[in-house]
Amino acid sequence: EAKDGSLVMLSRTGKGYLYRCDSKDAGESWSVEYPTPLRSPVAPFYMKKDPFTGWTFIAWDNSFPSPVHQYPRSPLSLAVTRDEGETWEFVCDIENDPMSSYGYPTIHFTKTSVLVAYYEELGVRNFNPREQRCKLTILNRDELTVDRVEKVPLR
């Protein structure tokens, strides 16, 4: 929910980017979808507002889709918006092995840290649960920096 009470929704698509819709009537109707600058295969992501800062963070697979459905799922990246999604600031790659897959992230906040949990599948790309493991990355808030800012395209 944005500061003005409107709703912001991101969705995964097969179009190479996460797409956005907005609602000004509590979700009764939505704007036409439009692309964000966040490139992504058809892969799950997680977006959550930080209760300590009011900023919204996203963990997602930061890559263009390949001909193989839902791939690649690397790198797993973290970005933040401080202005309701009008701009996204790249924070870091959480994982970046191009031969591995990362997905289904979730984010939790503490006063001093940003925690990101996700699955990792090393050296294979076959969604085999027996080859996946859960991981947790703990990022110290004092060490987080922003590398670049990406604007959302005009609607």
Side-chain angles (χ1 to χ4, degrees):
E1 184 175 347
K3 291 176 188 170
D4 67 1
S6 64
L7 300 177
V8 175
M9 175 177 58
L10 295 189
S11 60
R12 63 183 181 172
T13 71
K15 299 175 183 179
Y17 291 88
L18 295 177
Y19 271 58
R20 176 178 169 166
C21 294
D22 302 285
S23 175
K24 299 199 181 296
D25 57 10
E28 291 294 319
S29 62
W30 292 89
S31 69
V32 174
E33 65 180 15
Y34 56 96
T36 71
L38 303 172
R39 63 187 189 162
S40 180
V42 183
F45 63 93
Y46 194 83
M47 184 172 70
K48 186 174 184 180
K49 190 173 280 192
D50 181 345
F52 299 98
T53 63
W55 304 338
T56 300
F57 284 80
I58 188 168
W60 88 108
D61 289 307
N62 183 10
S63 60
F64 286 117
S66 73
V68 178
H69 185 63
Q70 299 182 342
Y71 283 110
R73 287 194 174 182
S74 178
L76 179 64
S77 299
L78 185 69
V80 64
T81 181
R82 303 174 206 218
D83 59 9
E84 313 291 340
E86 294 303 315
T87 56
W88 286 97
E89 302 169 74
F90 178 83
V91 176
C92 66
D93 284 333
I94 298 165
E95 297 277 3
N96 196 10
D97 179 350
M99 294 309 297
S100 296
S101 295
Y102 310 97
Y104 291 93
T106 187
I107 302 171
H108 180 74
F109 302 101
T110 69
K111 256 185 173 173
T112 59
S113 303
V114 177
L115 293 77
V116 183
Y118 50 96
Y119 83 76
E120 174 183 58
E121 193 169 19
L122 291 172
V124 292
R125 292 185 171 174
N126 60 8
F127 295 119
N128 183 346
R130 292 183 197 143
E131 297 181 21
Q132 295 173 355
R133 63 183 182 163
C134 291
K135 287 193 73 177
L136 174 66
T137 296
I138 301 171
L139 303 163
N140 184 329
R141 287 180 182 275
D142 294 338
E143 297 173 4
L144 295 180
T145 60
V146 173
D147 289 341
R148 62 184 178 271
V149 176
E150 303 288 340
K151 283 241 179 243
V152 171
L154 294 176
R155 294 165 255 200

